[in-house]
Amino acid sequence: MTYLQQITSPTLLIDEKICRDNIARMATKAKNNSMKLVPHFKTGQSKAIGKWAKDYNVPEITVSSIKMAEYFCGDGWETIHIAFPFNPLEIKKLNELSQNQKISVQLVNSEVAKMLANQLRSPVGFFIEIDAGYGRTGVAVSDFGKIEEILRISQTSDYLQFRGFYIHAGHSYYAKDVAAIHEQNIAALNMLKNKYRTEFPDLVTRTGDTPTCSMMDDFGGIDEMGPGNFVFYDLTQAGIGSCTKADIAVALAVPVVDINPEKKTILIHGGGVHLAKDVLFEPNGEKNFGEVVFLSDEGWEIPKSRSFVKSISQEHGIIQASEELLQKAQVGGLLGILPVHSCMTADCMKAYLSLDGQWIDHTEGFSF
Amino acid sequence: MTYLQQITSPTLLIDEKICRDNIARMATKAKNNSMKLVPHFKTGQSKAIGKWAKDYNVPEITVSSIKMAEYFCGDGWETIHIAFPFNPLEIKKLNELSQNQKISVQLVNSEVAKMLANQLRSPVGFFIEIDAGYGRTGVAVSDFGKIEEILRISQTSDYLQFRGFYIHAGHSYYAKDVAAIHEQNIAALNMLKNKYRTEFPDLVTRTGDTPTCSMMDDFGGIDEMGPGNFVFYDLTQAGIGSCTKADIAVALAVPVVDINPEKKTILIHGGGVHLAKDVLFEPNGEKNFGEVVFLSDEGWEIPKSRSFVKSISQEHGIIQASEELLQKAQVGGLLGILPVHSCMTADCMKAYLSLDGQWIDHTEGFSF
């Protein structure tokens, strides 16, 4: 039975070859810059994909919640980094996990540093997250008072161990000038490293976002990179220029349930609960929730003429169809949709089907 | 242990009393109009909430996928209606389920009608979905050719049984004039009923959306109503005028991980994977992904001054905080967030915690 014959409802497909190529390319770039690649597994959330990453000498991963850390515990990672300002309500769980798994967390204030210093029962590393302009989270790059307060608190603890500085320049997703953001990251991290390396000779610097890691070649001495989305990429990243559409490693297979040749629309079973509701905008202002690819036993193929999902509700999607698509599509058939935001689509779907018909695990879905 | 003491990570709270009041109010309205209430359980997706609905004499429910139908099979419902243009790849599953559970489906074209007529092995009812202006799906209200083609095909089958006409006026979510949409629905359904009742004396008419069902009092002879969102309501419905904020029956409890008094922002663990990414817009154009409520052992309370989630990413949310909130919030504490779109938030969270600390099931999460 081919993978296509297994599908009766919306199903997230993964092309292992594309995914491995994405990991290999980033691993090579990291190596060329003498950097450690610590991929952010909030995208794949999968032990199977973790195995693929290990083939490219990835010893350590990043996750975005303690639940995800727990999922990967005991799966052979040197360290699991939780790249989210630590939630002190989860100290008990952290103490459980860190007994058997090296874990690092992220700190942005002295309140949580104090709680950890008082309550940790095993060694846990921490990065101080730096806000170099994104404005979502992190200590302002020039707020040495707060940085040193956190460092001072950590020194009162036998268990809370400083590892370095972390920047996630999430605004590179929206900015026109990724290179400028990259320069800003390098300058911030190098300044902090120079300022604190005498006292902390082992401190490392890490930068996180997929656009800068994909598009830049020189990392100016930053020690580690932690991109996430690059394992799959998506239409957002293709729009930014981080990848081409051919690099997108996942596609949502969706059943066609109705075709309207007059309106040139196709109704699919595939909506917000499958794709999530991330959206791109066409030049004419129309919404784009994903782009159509044709499915075959070998995988998917990008059509000559573009068709996209122009609206979605909970379970419904409506495709604005090209003539090529209208000729090929049939009620009862399947189409593929390249996602706008693959991390969110994967989190909605909670499992992957490989092109050889194997189910691939996800944190909250299938587990093997 | 109170429900609050159980929470360490984002958790969807349900207030049973508010939820029951919402169901009771709609059941009364249906009764006053001699209508059958067939609630759409794509919102709650919960057997426990199904039990509450049965207390208000609800014998039948609607779902939006065969997966959801399967979940509710055998739970004592007279009929389960799948309110989605039927996906012919799922005929095998439909044949399995319909052996032991009365099921009805929705048809919008003759292709799927033919496949069902040929392949059904037990009786299955069907509604013809009518597009009275929404434009998402359905047969155009004046396309008698297509309606009669579907009816003719169904008459070739011993199993495919016509039940009536269904309208979901989803555009009432976006329109200023809900009353006008309601009048259009009534006119369309009554016209179709009059046209086809001689041949099909048992045919019924059903209308589906929460705004018209909540805001209108006279249903002009429509036989059944199938709203979904009303069991929980949300900020979108409060904005439309379907409910007040006090009628919203679910709130996402989120840990506070950082507070920035200068920017008046609060960072929470609560992002797109919890709330979904549905968004409302403030008068000044700012985005609103949910509004803050204060949590106590008794439930939640709407603050005097409004604070809302102004941005979200996968796991992060940033609240633009009022002075009142800045004074009350603390790192390591919890806040509640009223969702913009409760159906999507529930689908993300896949379980509910009641105010007496009990877990409530959801289709894809906890099951009892």
Side-chain angles (χ1 to χ4, degrees):
Chain A
M1 194 158 69
T2 69
Y3 82 91
L4 279 175
Q5 290 165 330
Q6 292 179 241
I7 301 174
T8 58
S9 61
T11 301
L12 189 57
L13 304 175
I14 187 165
D15 185 318
E16 178 176 341
K17 184 176 179 313
I18 298 177
C19 185
R20 280 182 176 271
D21 286 350
N22 292 342
I23 300 170
R25 212 160 46 245
M26 197 62 82
T28 301
K29 182 178 282 193
K31 198 174 169 196
N32 291 344
N33 279 275
S34 306
M35 293 170 87
K36 190 195 226 178
L37 171 61
V38 188
H40 200 320
F41 264 55
K42 70 168 187 165
T43 303
Q45 298 192 49
S46 167
K47 291 179 189 173
I49 300 171
K51 277 203 193 103
W52 304 347
K54 286 175 188 166
D55 289 342
Y56 306 95
N57 300 313
V58 170
E60 185 175 340
I61 56 170
T62 302
V63 298
S64 56
S65 68
I66 203 156
K67 184 171 68 174
M68 228 183 278
E70 186 171 19
Y71 182 70
F72 286 105
C73 270
D75 209 40
W77 299 105
E78 279 177 20
T79 301
I80 298 173
H81 176 62
I82 305 172
F84 191 89
F86 191 74
N87 164 13
L89 294 171
E90 295 175 328
I91 293 179
K92 191 176 158 212
K93 175 63 78 178
L94 179 61
N95 275 327
E96 282 169 35
L97 299 183
S98 59
Q99 280 174 15
N100 302 305
Q101 168 73 56
K102 225 164 125 182
I103 289 184
S104 56
V105 300
Q106 225 149 275
L107 291 180
V108 297
N109 57 46
S110 55
E111 291 96 318
V112 180
K114 267 181 216 154
M115 295 185 220
L116 285 171
N118 289 334
Q119 296 175 50
L120 283 184
R121 298 289 166 264
S122 328
V124 167
F126 75 93
F127 281 80
I128 296 178
E129 183 176 357
I130 298 298
D131 178 4
Y134 183 19
R136 181 177 71 177
T137 173
V139 181
V141 63
S142 56
D143 192 348
F144 305 122
K146 192 180 271 189
I147 290 170
E148 286 161 26
E149 197 182 353
I150 294 171
L151 291 172
R152 207 161 52 236
I153 292 165
S154 75
Q155 288 169 322
T156 68
S157 159
D158 291 339
Y159 298 130
L160 192 55
Q161 301 172 343
F162 181 51
R163 288 192 59 190
F165 296 103
Y166 179 104
I167 284 181
H168 174 75
H171 54 324
S172 67
Y173 277 50
Y174 309 103
K176 295 222 181 307
D177 196 350
V178 172
I181 291 171
H182 186 57
E183 289 306 318
Q184 195 181 41
N185 289 351
I186 293 172
L189 289 174
N190 284 344
M191 178 274 286
L192 291 168
K193 189 169 184 176
N194 288 332
K195 188 165 167 70
Y196 293 102
R197 74 194 309 176
T198 314
E199 193 181 358
F200 301 96
D202 297 331
L203 85 83
V204 297
T205 52
R206 187 186 296 176
T207 183
D209 63 298
T210 283
T212 64
C213 292
S214 299
M215 295 164 74
M216 301 295 117
D217 288 315
D218 182 336
F219 288 77
I222 298 176
D223 299 305
E224 303 181 348
M225 59 162 74
N229 180 281
F230 77 100
V231 294
F232 293 164
Y233 286 122
D234 52 31
L235 293 178
T236 302
Q237 294 294 336
I240 293 168
S242 306
C243 66
T244 68
K245 287 181 192 171
D247 298 322
I248 300 174
V250 290
L252 186 73
V254 293
V256 171
V257 295
D258 196 30
I259 298 176
N260 188 322
E262 291 79 37
K263 289 186 185 170
K264 301 187 195 302
T265 57
I266 294 176
L267 179 66
I268 55 173
H269 186 198
V273 297
H274 312 104
L275 285 164
K277 288 199 170 171
D278 293 84
V279 62
L280 294 170
F281 289 91
E282 295 292 302
N284 67 1
E286 277 189 296
K287 290 180 176 177
N288 174 347
F289 294 94
E291 285 186 21
V292 174
V293 291
F294 294 131
L295 301 178
S296 72
D297 285 345
E298 286 72 43
W300 58 84
E301 186 198 340
I302 297 171
K304 288 191 194 71
S305 55
R306 251 172 101 244
S307 300
F308 57 93
V309 181
K310 69 169 183 174
S311 76
I312 55 175
S313 46
Q314 187 165 343
E315 304 264 358
H316 298 72
I318 296 180
I319 294 168
Q320 190 64 54
S322 70
E323 288 300 334
E324 182 190 9
L325 176 57
L326 283 173
Q327 278 166 30
K328 284 203 182 187
Q330 49 188 351
V331 171
L334 293 169
L335 293 172
I337 307 292
L338 297 179
V340 168
H341 189 172
S342 59
C343 313
M344 290 294 293
T345 303
D347 195 83
C348 284
M349 295 305 298
K350 304 201 186 305
Y352 311 88
L353 185 64
S354 74
L355 301 182
D356 54 0
Q358 303 299 308
W359 285 101
I360 304 279
D361 66 294
H362 183 283
T363 305
E364 296 186 78
F366 288 84
S367 167
F368 305 94
Chain B
M1 193 157 70
T2 69
Y3 83 90
L4 279 174
Q5 290 165 331
Q6 292 179 242
I7 302 174
T8 59
S9 61
T11 301
L12 189 57
L13 304 175
I14 187 166
D15 185 319
E16 179 177 340
K17 182 176 179 313
I18 298 177
C19 185
R20 280 182 176 269
D21 286 350
N22 292 341
I23 299 170
R25 211 160 47 244
M26 197 63 81
T28 301
K29 182 179 281 193
K31 198 175 169 195
N32 291 344
N33 279 275
S34 306
M35 293 170 86
K36 190 192 223 179
L37 171 61
V38 188
H40 200 321
F41 263 56
K42 68 166 189 165
T43 303
Q45 298 192 49
S46 168
K47 291 180 190 172
I49 299 171
K51 276 203 194 103
W52 304 346
K54 286 175 189 166
D55 289 341
Y56 306 94
N57 302 312
V58 170
E60 185 176 340
I61 57 170
T62 302
V63 297
S64 56
S65 68
I66 201 156
K67 184 171 67 174
M68 227 182 278
E70 187 171 18
Y71 181 71
F72 285 106
C73 270
D75 208 39
W77 300 105
E78 278 178 19
T79 301
I80 298 174
H81 176 62
I82 305 173
F84 191 89
F86 191 74
N87 163 14
L89 294 172
E90 294 175 328
I91 293 180
K92 192 176 156 212
K93 174 64 75 179
L94 179 60
N95 275 327
E96 282 169 36
L97 299 184
S98 59
Q99 280 174 16
N100 302 305
Q101 168 73 57
K102 225 164 125 183
I103 290 184
S104 56
V105 300
Q106 225 149 274
L107 292 179
V108 297
N109 57 45
S110 55
E111 293 95 317
V112 180
K114 268 181 212 152
M115 295 184 221
L116 284 172
N118 289 334
Q119 297 174 51
L120 282 185
R121 296 290 165 264
S122 328
V124 167
F126 74 93
F127 281 80
I128 296 178
E129 183 176 356
I130 298 298
D131 178 5
Y134 183 20
R136 180 177 74 177
T137 176
V139 180
V141 63
S142 56
D143 192 347
F144 305 122
K146 192 180 272 188
I147 289 170
E148 285 161 26
E149 198 182 351
I150 294 171
L151 291 173
R152 208 162 49 237
I153 292 165
S154 75
Q155 287 167 323
T156 68
S157 159
D158 291 338
Y159 298 129
L160 192 55
Q161 300 172 343
F162 181 50
R163 287 192 60 191
F165 296 103
Y166 178 103
I167 284 182
H168 174 74
H171 54 325
S172 69
Y173 277 50
Y174 309 105
K176 293 221 184 306
D177 196 350
V178 172
I181 291 171
H182 185 58
E183 288 307 317
Q184 196 181 42
N185 288 352
I186 292 173
L189 289 174
N190 284 343
M191 179 273 287
L192 290 168
K193 190 169 183 175
N194 288 332
K195 187 166 167 69
Y196 293 104
R197 75 194 309 178
T198 313
E199 193 179 359
F200 301 96
D202 297 330
L203 86 82
V204 296
T205 51
R206 188 186 296 176
T207 183
D209 63 298
T210 284
T212 62
C213 292
S214 300
M215 294 164 74
M216 301 295 116
D217 288 315
D218 181 337
F219 289 78
I222 299 176
D223 299 305
E224 303 181 348
M225 60 161 76
N229 180 282
F230 78 98
V231 294
F232 293 164
Y233 286 122
D234 52 31
L235 293 177
T236 301
Q237 294 295 336
I240 293 168
S242 306
C243 65
T244 68
K245 287 181 191 171
D247 298 323
I248 300 174
V250 291
L252 185 73
V254 293
V256 172
V257 295
D258 196 28
I259 298 176
N260 188 323
E262 291 79 37
K263 289 186 184 168
K264 301 188 195 301
T265 58
I266 294 175
L267 179 66
I268 55 173
H269 185 198
V273 297
H274 311 104
L275 285 165
K277 288 198 169 171
D278 294 84
V279 63
L280 294 171
F281 290 91
E282 295 291 303
N284 67 1
E286 277 189 297
K287 290 179 176 177
N288 174 349
F289 294 94
E291 286 186 19
V292 175
V293 290
F294 295 130
L295 301 178
S296 72
D297 285 345
E298 286 72 44
W300 57 83
E301 185 198 339
I302 297 172
K304 288 193 193 70
S305 54
R306 250 173 100 244
S307 300
F308 58 92
V309 180
K310 69 169 184 175
S311 77
I312 56 175
S313 47
Q314 187 166 342
E315 304 262 359
H316 299 73
I318 296 180
I319 294 168
Q320 190 65 56
S322 69
E323 288 299 332
E324 181 190 9
L325 177 57
L326 283 172
Q327 278 167 28
K328 284 206 183 185
Q330 48 187 351
V331 171
L334 293 169
L335 294 172
I337 308 292
L338 297 178
V340 169
H341 189 171
S342 59
C343 313
M344 291 292 293
T345 303
D347 195 83
C348 284
M349 296 305 298
K350 302 198 187 308
Y352 311 87
L353 184 63
S354 72
L355 301 183
D356 54 0
Q358 304 299 309
W359 285 101
I360 304 280
D361 66 295
H362 183 282
T363 306
E364 297 186 77
F366 289 83
S367 167
F368 305 93

